[in-house]
Amino acid sequence: MTYPNPRLSRRHLLAASAAVVVAFSAAACTAPATESPTSAPTPGGHRPSASDPWRPAAHLTAEKNWLNDPNGLVYHDGTYHAFYQYNPRGNSWGNMSWGHSTSTDLVHWEQQPVAMEASPQEEIFSGSIVMDKNNASGLGSAQNPPMVALYTSAYGKNGALPQGAQAQSVAFSLDKGTTWQKYKGNPVLNLAPTNNNFRDPKITWYEPGRYWVMTTVVADAQVVKMFKSTDLLHWDYLSDFSGVGAQGGLWEVPELIQMDVQDSTAKKWVMLLSINPGGIAGGSGMQYFVGEFDGTRFTAENAAAPSAPLTESQWLDHGADYYAANSISGAPGGKPMLLGWMGNWDYAQHVPTTPWRGSMAIPRELTLVRGQKRLELRSAIAGVAREALEHAGEVKSKNLTVGPDPRDHNSDLGADFATRTQLIELEMDLTAAREAGILLRRSADGSASLRISYNKEKRTVRVDRSKAGTSNFSEKFSPYHEVALPSSGSDSKVRLHILLDSSSVEVFAQDGAAVISDIFFPDWDNTGSSVFSMDGDTDFTVRSHSL
């Protein structure tokens, strides 16, 4: 859970670099309201329109008001539940509560009533949910085991802890996530002395020890703290993880995941970790570490030193708008399935959308592979979401060869590719060219477009949003982002899977070896698409599933 200005936040005043002693609780700042809370479900199927041109058609967002970090993500009885940081009273950060949306395919979402709402005594910050199948917590029954949420209580006036303090609390649901009750013994985990940046509990089951492991952060000390429990209510300290990777800002939303190494019998543990500021694209970003976990301590292997250039750290996404992603507990498929916030704290509060602000990225699944120097994560659109996207609209395809002459009318992809939301498979063979790419959401006169390109000599993919639409809302709205791809047998050929939505693009390059996720704000009438080639001819194969 991040703050819009962490360096000025009242909760950032206590330096967490001081020694802290773990203390356990056996016992069980709100912005002014601008409108009434949303309490009734909203109908699904909200679509972009000329009056709401940037509303996503294929991504989770709220009908109205502010949304950021995903929280309790859980799959149960055929339904995906996404809880998230939500302001039920306005379109900017504040009154932090848990919003709730549900889906059966990870593309079409229905907003539910607010799950847990902020009060003057306690805001509901980030956390996670697990199904307590054996009722180890005792909060349900063998016949009706509970959903259990671990979340951060951020205390205000007259709260259970001093104002500004953060600690971990429990809530539970006995009706499949519809309503929630707070545990009477909250908070269940605190630090001594209390800390203003102790947050973001994420729960992982550790099978060899038959206990749950909680990862949390002391955000401004760049420390992940780990605890264990057999009942989700009483927690014992395990260890700290720190001292490696990018440390230019707050560490947030950690998660420990065990993964198979592709084409191997080996297993490794992966630590996901968000950072703000200090990300690879500026502002918010997500790094990860691969290593071993022995039930007590996580040890990263081949991790970058804090003093190393950011390019030596491992990043989950090289765009500006992918943050606070964590996995969906209980999701089918065998691979970690992540949902992340499509935003960046450099400018998130200023993006020109109304009456809503903030959306999620498309859910993605992770694969762990052996890279050239170390183990690396690959990302792909989650299978169930991809299937929904591919069946949502008509498929169009085109094969063409384009030269460097900008007057080449053959480069225009035509009406078949002139949709605001589409899943594009783009293959380019640059044997004779230096650079090639595609222009999306292009204006009729060609002056505006989102430019996605591949440079053969540098082996870099770039997403350039500098001429893609409205950008004057923030000086920190960076113009472009790029990533170098690993060398392959033929650096002249590149494959891109591109999910274009009303105000976002996600580019998965070379089967997910690198991803760039960016938001942008095009004019409603700009729907053209074309390809281009520089310093030689390029062969293109383009397939599009329009939504």
Side-chain angles (χ1 to χ4, degrees):
M1 172 65 216
T2 321
Y3 311 108
N5 191 340
R7 299 193 183 281
L8 297 180
S9 169
R10 70 178 187 271
R11 301 179 182 88
H12 194 67
L13 297 177
L14 181 60
S17 56
V20 291
V21 179
V22 179
F24 302 96
S25 172
C29 103
T30 306
T34 58
E35 53 183 281
S36 299
T38 301
S39 58
T42 60
H46 292 286
R47 304 287 295 180
S49 63
S51 61
D52 192 3
W54 299 315
R55 179 177 290 279
H59 293 80
L60 189 162
T61 194
E63 180 192 20
K64 64 178 181 179
N65 297 344
W66 170 271
L67 167 159
N68 63 289
D69 302 359
N71 298 155
L73 305 176
V74 64
Y75 176 81
H76 182 61
D77 282 353
T79 297
Y80 294 92
H81 295 261
F83 298 83
Y84 41 83
Q85 293 289 277
Y86 181 66
N87 182 357
R89 299 176 182 273
N91 203 19
S92 58
W93 186 90
N95 308 295
M96 283 294 94
S97 307
W98 271 26
H100 181 200
S101 294
T102 55
S103 176
T104 57
D105 64 5
L106 297 173
V107 172
H108 303 92
W109 294 89
E110 182 174 357
Q111 190 170 346
Q112 304 296 335
V114 173
M116 291 188 283
E117 190 165 346
S119 70
Q121 294 77 35
E122 178 195 35
E123 289 186 79
I124 315 297
F125 279 12
S126 294
S128 59
I129 290 173
V130 294
M131 283 300 305
D132 183 11
K133 297 178 182 178
N134 298 319
N135 193 35
S137 65
L139 297 174
S141 64
Q143 296 73 31
N144 187 22
M147 279 186 183
V148 177
L150 272 294
Y151 69 92
T152 297
S153 295
Y155 291 103
K157 266 189 173 183
N158 302 315
L161 294 179
Q163 185 172 356
Q166 296 177 6
Q168 315 321 315
S169 294
V170 163
F172 62 98
S173 174
L174 300 176
D175 55 8
K176 300 182 179 182
T178 301
T179 60
W180 291 84
Q181 304 174 56
K182 293 180 181 179
Y183 177 54
K184 293 181 180 179
N186 284 337
V188 298
L189 178 59
N190 188 19
L191 296 180
T194 57
N195 190 283
N196 289 24
N197 285 281
F198 175 48
R199 55 180 177 267
D200 302 346
K202 178 67 179 181
I203 309 302
T204 300
W205 178 253
Y206 182 64
E207 180 61 29
R210 303 292 298 170
Y211 53 76
W212 282 281
V213 174
M214 179 200 293
T215 48
T216 62
V217 290
V218 178
D220 57 350
Q222 294 84 38
V223 172
V224 176
K225 303 188 80 67
M226 289 179 278
F227 307 85
K228 72 174 183 179
S229 176
T230 58
D231 64 2
L232 296 168
L233 302 176
H234 303 87
W235 294 90
D236 298 318
Y237 172 74
L238 288 174
S239 63
D240 288 355
F241 171 71
S242 62
V244 293
Q247 301 195 17
L250 303 177
W251 276 13
E252 297 195 304
V253 196
E255 180 174 7
L256 192 59
I257 304 173
Q258 188 178 38
M259 296 185 64
D260 296 324
V261 179
Q262 189 177 52
D263 300 326
S264 167
T265 59
K267 293 180 180 291
K268 290 288 184 178
W269 288 84
V270 177
M271 178 77 77
L272 303 179
L273 192 62
S274 294
I275 182 171
N276 176 66
I280 186 65
S284 310
M286 281 197 70
Q287 58 184 324
Y288 67 90
F289 305 91
V290 182
E292 298 287 353
F293 179 64
D294 62 5
T296 299
R297 187 173 301 277
F298 172 74
T299 304
E301 300 171 352
N302 301 311
S307 59
L310 290 181
T311 51
E312 293 188 17
S313 291
Q314 293 184 282
W315 300 94
L316 202 57
D317 196 294
H318 285 76
D321 297 295
Y322 193 76
Y323 194 69
N326 57 100
S327 70
I328 301 174
S329 178
K335 293 183 177 181
M337 187 184 296
L338 304 188
L339 184 66
W341 177 47
M342 198 171 245
N344 190 309
W345 282 111
D346 271 356
Y347 46 76
Q349 293 223 102
H350 306 292
V351 297
T353 60
T354 186
W356 59 277
R357 186 176 278 135
S359 67
M360 300 301 176
I362 198 70
R364 61 180 68 170
E365 61 188 27
L366 301 181
T367 304
L368 187 61
V369 305
R370 297 193 183 279
Q372 294 172 335
K373 297 180 179 180
R374 53 187 171 178
L375 292 170
E376 300 173 349
L377 289 176
R378 298 285 185 265
S379 299
I381 297 174
V384 65
R386 185 179 181 88
E387 183 176 347
L389 292 168
E390 290 178 343
H391 286 82
E394 193 174 1
V395 181
K396 300 293 183 179
S397 62
K398 197 166 190 176
N399 298 309
L400 63 164
T401 299
V402 173
D405 188 344
R407 297 168 296 179
D408 186 351
H409 296 295
N410 190 39
S411 64
D412 195 319
L413 295 176
D416 286 346
F417 298 85
T419 56
R420 297 178 181 88
T421 302
Q422 51 185 317
L423 177 62
I424 301 168
E425 300 171 23
L426 176 66
E427 295 185 12
M428 300 184 290
D429 187 341
L430 287 71
T431 302
R434 175 179 58 86
E435 186 174 326
I438 189 169
L439 304 176
L440 299 172
R441 298 301 304 267
R442 187 173 179 268
S443 62
D445 63 3
S447 62
S449 65
L450 178 76
R451 188 179 192 270
I452 302 170
S453 61
Y454 174 67
N455 185 297
K456 182 176 66 177
E457 295 173 356
K458 298 179 180 179
R459 299 198 314 275
T460 54
V461 171
R462 174 182 287 201
V463 174
D464 187 335
R465 59 185 181 181
S466 61
K467 297 180 180 179
T470 300
S471 61
N472 60 2
F473 52 86
S474 172
E475 294 180 353
K476 293 186 176 182
F477 191 71
S478 43
Y480 68 87
H481 306 103
E482 68 179 22
V483 58
L485 300 181
S487 182
S488 62
S490 175
D491 292 335
S492 66
K493 295 182 179 180
V494 67
R495 297 178 305 280
L496 305 179
H497 288 162
I498 303 167
L499 179 56
L500 175 72
D501 206 346
S502 308
S503 54
S504 68
V505 68
E506 291 150 285
V507 180
F508 298 81
Q510 298 296 64
D511 301 320
V515 189
I516 297 177
S517 299
D518 281 336
I519 59 174
F520 69 107
F521 303 97
D523 288 351
W524 175 253
D525 292 332
N526 294 353
T527 58
S529 300
S530 62
V531 293
F532 64 90
S533 182
M534 300 176 66
D535 298 337
D537 292 354
T538 297
D539 295 328
F540 292 88
T541 299
V542 191
R543 283 171 51 86
S544 172
H545 303 264
S546 61
L547 280 76

